[in-house]
């Protein structure tokens, strides 16, 4: 069961704005990604754009309606290589922009 209480929580709800909490520098980019998340009954996916990346996390834009705190997979696709998926936990949402940090299977 999903926690819907944080669905539209502003970034400032936790006290600090996301850019104030960053510990590592991010590089700006515009890379197409696919966001894979758990829908009501089944796994769903949506197209998106990765906007920045660091050693700890990433930022992306998508039209999908995701929940802050939810764990999703971000899939990078390249014509020259097989798809590469990363698990992330959503840290904040501002409109259709999300910030997330990388998680490992044992830290969920």
């Amino acid at each position: 069961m999903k926690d819907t209480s944080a669905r539209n929580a502003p970034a400032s709800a936790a006290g600090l704005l996301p850019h104030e909490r960053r510990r590592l520098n991010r590089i700006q980019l515009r890379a197409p990604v696919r966001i894979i998340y758990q829908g009501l009954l089944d796994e769903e996916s949506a197209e998106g754009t990765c906007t920045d990346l660091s050693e700890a996390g990433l930022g992306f834009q998508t039209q999908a309606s995701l929940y802050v705190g939810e764990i999703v997979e971000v899939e990078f696709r390249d014509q020259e290589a097989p798809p590469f998926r990363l698990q992330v936990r959503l840290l904040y949402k501002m409109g259709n922009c999300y910030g997330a940090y990388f998680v490992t299977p044992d830290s969920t």
Side-chain angles (χ1 to χ4, degrees):
M1 176 181 235
K2 291 184 182 177
D3 175 14
T4 59
S5 62
R7 184 175 195 160
N8 293 313
S12 60
L16 297 174
L17 292 175
H19 67 277
E20 295 172 325
R21 292 186 297 219
R22 286 190 185 151
R23 295 183 193 109
L24 300 168
N25 291 330
R26 292 190 178 203
I27 57 170
Q28 302 296 312
L29 72 142
R30 296 203 63 76
V33 293
R34 185 167 67 120
I35 313 302
I36 299 105
Y37 58 98
Q38 184 60 44
L40 186 59
L41 300 174
D42 203 4
E43 184 176 272
E44 296 185 25
S45 67
E47 298 302 311
T49 302
C50 180
T51 56
D52 55 77
L53 184 65
S54 79
E55 291 179 26
L58 54 81
F60 64 90
Q61 297 176 340
T62 184
Q63 295 299 316
S65 182
L66 305 172
Y67 301 89
V68 171
E70 178 177 14
I71 294 176
V72 301
E73 290 185 322
V74 178
E75 181 180 81
F76 289 84
R77 293 172 287 172
D78 184 340
Q79 295 177 3
E80 305 297 320
F84 181 72
R85 285 188 183 185
L86 298 166
Q87 267 194 340
V88 299
R89 183 178 299 273
L90 302 179
L91 181 61
Y92 70 88
K93 174 182 181 178
M94 292 190 303
N96 66 347
C97 298
Y98 293 86
Y101 60 91
F102 302 124
V103 296
T104 57
D106 58 351
S107 69
T108 57

